[in-house]
Amino acid sequence: MKGIILAGGSGTRLYPLTLVSSKQLLPIYDKPMVYYPLCTLMLANIKDILVISTPEDTPRFRNLLGDGHQFGIKLSYAVQEKPEGLAQAFIIGEDFIGDDSCAMILGDNIFYGNGLGYMLKNAAKRADDGKASVFGFYVEDPRPFGVVDFDITGKVLSLEEKPTNPKSNYAVTGLYFYPPGVSKLAKKVKPSVRGELEITSLNTMYLEQDLLCCSVMGRGFSWFDTGTIDSLMQAASFIQMIQNLQGIIVSAPEEVAYRYQMISKEQLVAAAQAYGNSTYGKRLLDVASGRFIK
């Protein structure tokens, strides 16, 4: 399975913070935002990942992340000249995806919860078996989001993009798993009234074929769509609280790579030392010492 991080857009809702920097390079407490979606894909055991961003920001992501060898993965990059909808990612990444299944995560989405890796691996298996997956999260006001409605058995009944009268309170998060052939299907998506290739339209195609599943992130899970100042601060405060209360580190690619045996203990220690006297580096050394329970 391949993975895509879509980290484009201008981030105008975060001006002036994003006047000279990509939104996905802003800090969420002690690490760049892009580390969080990267770790989410790694938790699904995805090791070949494409980062899509703007012409200006793509070199910055490359400077930060490199080719991914330090995380035991392979990273490549592609440019989105103009943001024309989330489904465009699969057209840009067509050659990268090839005949494989593919997961795509938005670069400003943060997920946390016990059992997240298990849920992601199940979605990856469904994709390999020919079914797409979205993830539903309960919100008080779902109108700004794509909304998924499902019955008591979990069968998806409908999808709506930013509905005035939502049929449920479950927002579709910015994480999607698709079977082989997603790029060909994405090319059939017609631009919406906003002139964009909507991801909801792509998901509806799978729904119409009875090939769409919804995994509900219930109690114990947290999801942040960090596109606004308030959500940015909420996410940072949440990560700060979790890390400092439990003495752990959340969404550090080096830790995930070590836990999943993508890098050795020696590589983890070397990575930690490269961060100098930072808290981030010290926490990685704690992981290497065996202080944290897996």
Side-chain angles (χ1 to χ4, degrees), residues 30 272 274-284:
D30 61 346
Y275 288 112
N277 199 34
S278 68
T279 301
Y280 186 87
K282 291 178 181 178
R283 290 194 188 276
L284 290 181

Side-chain angles (χ1 to χ4, degrees), residues 71-150:
F71 308 135
I73 61 175
K74 179 182 178 182
L75 290 174
S76 50
Y77 301 86
V79 171
Q80 184 182 39
E81 295 289 347
K82 182 180 178 182
E84 295 178 332
L86 305 186
Q88 186 186 31
F90 302 104
I91 299 174
I92 295 172
E94 182 176 16
D95 291 340
F96 166 77
I97 299 169
D99 296 325
D100 293 320
S101 54
C102 183
M104 194 264 280
I105 186 169
L106 304 187
D108 60 359
N109 272 224
I110 296 173
F111 298 88
Y112 180 80
N114 186 34
L116 178 60
Y118 178 78
M119 180 180 287
L120 297 174
K121 288 171 187 174
N122 280 343
K125 184 179 185 303
R126 286 195 298 269
D128 288 339
D129 291 339
K131 289 194 173 184
S133 293
V134 296
F135 296 81
F137 190 90
Y138 186 95
V139 295
E140 287 295 329
D141 182 9
R143 290 175 296 177
F145 305 98
V147 176
V148 58
D149 185 30
F150 45 87

Side-chain angles (χ1 to χ4, degrees), residues 50 69 190 255:
L50 177 69
H69 77 276
K190 296 180 180 179
E255 183 196 18

